[in-house]
Amino acid sequence: MNTIVISTDCLSEAAKLIQQGETVVFPTETVYGLGADAFNPDGVLKIFQAKNRPADNPLIVHVSSLSMIEEVSSDFNETAKTIASHFMPGPITLVLKKSDCICDAVSAGLSTVGVRFPKHPVAQELITKSGTPIAAPSANISGSVSATTFSDVYRDLNGRVAGIVQGDDCEFGIESTVLDVTGDTPVILRPGSVTLEMLQAVIPTTRLHPSLVAGTKVEKPASPGMKYTHYSPKAEVFLVTGEMNNIISHFENHLKDSECLFLFLEEYDSFSKNKMCLGTKSDLNQMAHLIFRLLKQADLDGYQTIYIPAVAEEGVGLSVMNRLKKSSGGKVLSL
Ligand code: AMP
Ligand code: MG
């Protein structure tokens, strides 16, 4: 397929493709999205084909106003409205009862739909110009690492979609928080940059789905997408635990040429070998912003193994660790 690269000042061209039932990749504040008209089943099917996405993994529907939520959901309830008034537009997806105009391909046959109102001006303008909600999962081949820069998304999807909007690097760098607001209390199905703590400050009863609580065994994944292998670079990934001094001295002696260590700014200069910087450990939003970019860079650089220091599972650290536990397949090196 011939893929057109579209600049952010020519979004009418991208909107035309959406209206014609084609796929367009566009930047958002979380990761790049791979979109099509949410009301066009043929267009939606092309998303699944471009990504090799399993059909039972529902898509998030992107809107450009709160009033548009009423078009895609039959029950934009009071809890949802409260959350929306605090966090929308922004990096959060609300799971709501779907309206009849959401087809089975989008919802994967569920009675609910994930709805997101992105903050990114390019995403907003594209949705408005298209005149329709846009269904969009992360713009990557299923199972691999989500793209957060134009060059990464171009490398992954050129030839597989009709258009790619050339935007800047994504601000948050990890996918949206997915919050189920169909029940009595809000439940986080996927942690993101809107954290449990931020949500509890607004609705104190907000909780994590049991599958996200360490040590809890559950039969069902939090949401269909959470059961798949995900966020995997070609390289093998290990999470590393232990005192930073021990980690540094271990790898000074043992890191091979084909291996790379991710480090925080605070230790970065004290290590002399193959390394990439995760930003400061005092603000894990920097790690979230960088992590997918660095995993992809490590693959491009030909590393076969990546070691990443584990962080405390609180705040955005919970969200980053959620991704990295999947990237690593749960492999941990304790030093
Ligand atoms: P992605 O677009 O690649 O970030 O994936 C979307 C995520 O949202 C997947 O984990 C889906 O399973 C989840 N999701 C989308 N719609 C729903 C829904 N109606 N109920 C539960 N989870 C959903
Ligand atoms: Mg994804």
Side-chain angles (χ1 to χ4, degrees), residues 78-111:
E78 285 312 309
T79 309
K81 283 185 176 147
T82 303
I83 298 287
S85 71
H86 283 84
F87 301 108
M88 286 188 164
I92 188 163
T93 296
L94 297 180
V95 171
L96 295 163
K97 240 175 138 214
K98 79 175 189 75
S99 71
D100 290 343
C101 53
I102 295 296
C103 64
D104 276 351
V106 168
S107 68
L110 299 175
S111 59

Side-chain angles (χ1 to χ4, degrees), residues 51 53 57-60 95 107 110 112-114 136-138 140 175 178 189-190 222-226 230:
K51 278 186 63 109
R53 186 175 175 98
N57 192 359
L59 305 179
I60 291 171
V95 171
S107 68
L110 299 175
T112 55
V113 62
S138 53
N140 55 288
E175 303 85 351
V178 177
L189 305 183
R190 176 176 71 184
S223 75
M226 300 296 271
H230 218 172

Side-chain angles (χ1 to χ4, degrees), residues 19-332:
Q19 287 166 349
Q20 290 166 350
E22 296 298 336
T23 47
V24 173
V25 167
F26 60 99
T28 82
E29 70 275 22
T30 57
V31 298
Y32 272 74
L34 198 179
D37 180 352
F39 293 155
N40 182 334
D42 292 337
V44 168
L45 188 66
K46 291 177 188 168
I47 297 176
F48 285 88
Q49 288 165 345
K51 278 186 63 109
N52 282 337
R53 186 175 175 98
D56 68 349
N57 192 359
L59 305 179
I60 291 171
V61 174
H62 293 66
V63 297
S64 56
S65 66
L66 291 180
S67 59
M68 241 171 134
I69 296 179
E70 313 268 7
E71 284 179 46
V72 297
S73 167
S74 61
D75 184 25
F76 187 24
N77 58 52
E78 285 312 309
T79 309
K81 283 185 176 147
T82 303
I83 298 287
S85 71
H86 283 84
F87 301 108
M88 286 188 164
I92 188 163
T93 296
L94 297 180
V95 171
L96 295 163
K97 240 175 138 214
K98 79 175 189 75
S99 71
D100 290 343
C101 53
I102 295 296
C103 64
D104 276 351
V106 168
S107 68
L110 299 175
S111 59
T112 55
V113 62
V115 187
R116 186 159 110 73
F117 176 7
K119 185 179 78 170
H120 199 294
V122 171
Q124 287 189 5
E125 189 182 332
L126 176 63
I127 299 162
T128 304
K129 285 213 156 97
S130 301
T132 181
I134 295 182
S138 53
N140 55 288
I141 305 294
S142 277
S144 74
V145 178
S146 303
T148 57
T149 68
F150 170 74
S151 55
D152 284 338
V153 90
Y154 184 81
R155 201 177 302 108
D156 287 356
L157 293 174
N158 181 34
R160 302 181 73 97
V161 293
I164 302 180
V165 177
Q166 182 164 15
D168 292 333
D169 297 358
C170 301
E171 177 187 350
F172 291 102
I174 54 171
E175 303 85 351
S176 59
T177 305
V178 177
L179 187 72
D180 183 347
V181 282
T182 58
D184 293 339
T185 56
V187 180
I188 294 179
L189 305 183
R190 176 176 71 184
S193 296
V194 175
T195 63
L196 174 66
E197 294 81 352
M198 288 159 73
L199 290 162
Q200 284 178 336
V202 176
I203 300 187
T205 52
T206 304
R207 59 190 172 88
L208 293 172
H209 187 275
S211 65
L212 301 174
V213 179
T216 313
K217 275 220 169 350
V218 286
E219 279 159 31
K220 265 183 87 177
S223 75
M226 300 296 271
K227 70 174 178 277
Y228 292 107
T229 315
H230 218 172
Y231 318 114
S232 305
K234 290 194 202 84
E236 193 171 14
V237 175
F238 288 84
L239 281 165
V240 186
T241 60
E243 288 293 320
M244 223 45 226
N245 286 345
N246 293 345
I247 293 176
I248 298 278
S249 56
H250 171 85
F251 285 114
E252 280 292 359
N253 294 320
H254 292 101
L255 198 72
K256 299 184 188 136
D257 288 346
S258 62
E259 299 181 331
C260 175
L261 176 62
F262 287 9
L263 284 170
F264 288 102
L265 199 58
E266 286 79 355
E267 283 85 30
Y268 194 70
D269 286 340
S270 65
F271 191 71
S272 60
K273 298 193 173 170
N274 311 332
K275 57 183 179 178
M276 293 194 193
C277 187
L278 294 166
T280 173
K281 56 172 97 163
S282 65
D283 179 10
L284 293 183
N285 286 302
Q286 293 187 12
M287 183 182 192
H289 170 73
L290 290 166
I291 192 70
F292 288 157
R293 169 86 271 284
L294 297 185
L295 289 172
K296 283 180 175 286
Q297 190 58 48
D299 271 349
L300 289 173
D301 292 350
Y303 289 116
Q304 266 145 45
T305 311
I306 306 167
Y307 296 99
I308 308 176
V311 296
E313 292 183 60
E314 58 196 32
V316 77
L318 176 78
S319 315
V320 175
M321 285 294 285
N322 169 266
R323 309 306 192 270
L324 291 179
K325 282 177 178 176
K326 297 197 176 184
S327 307
S328 62
K331 293 189 296 294
V332 178

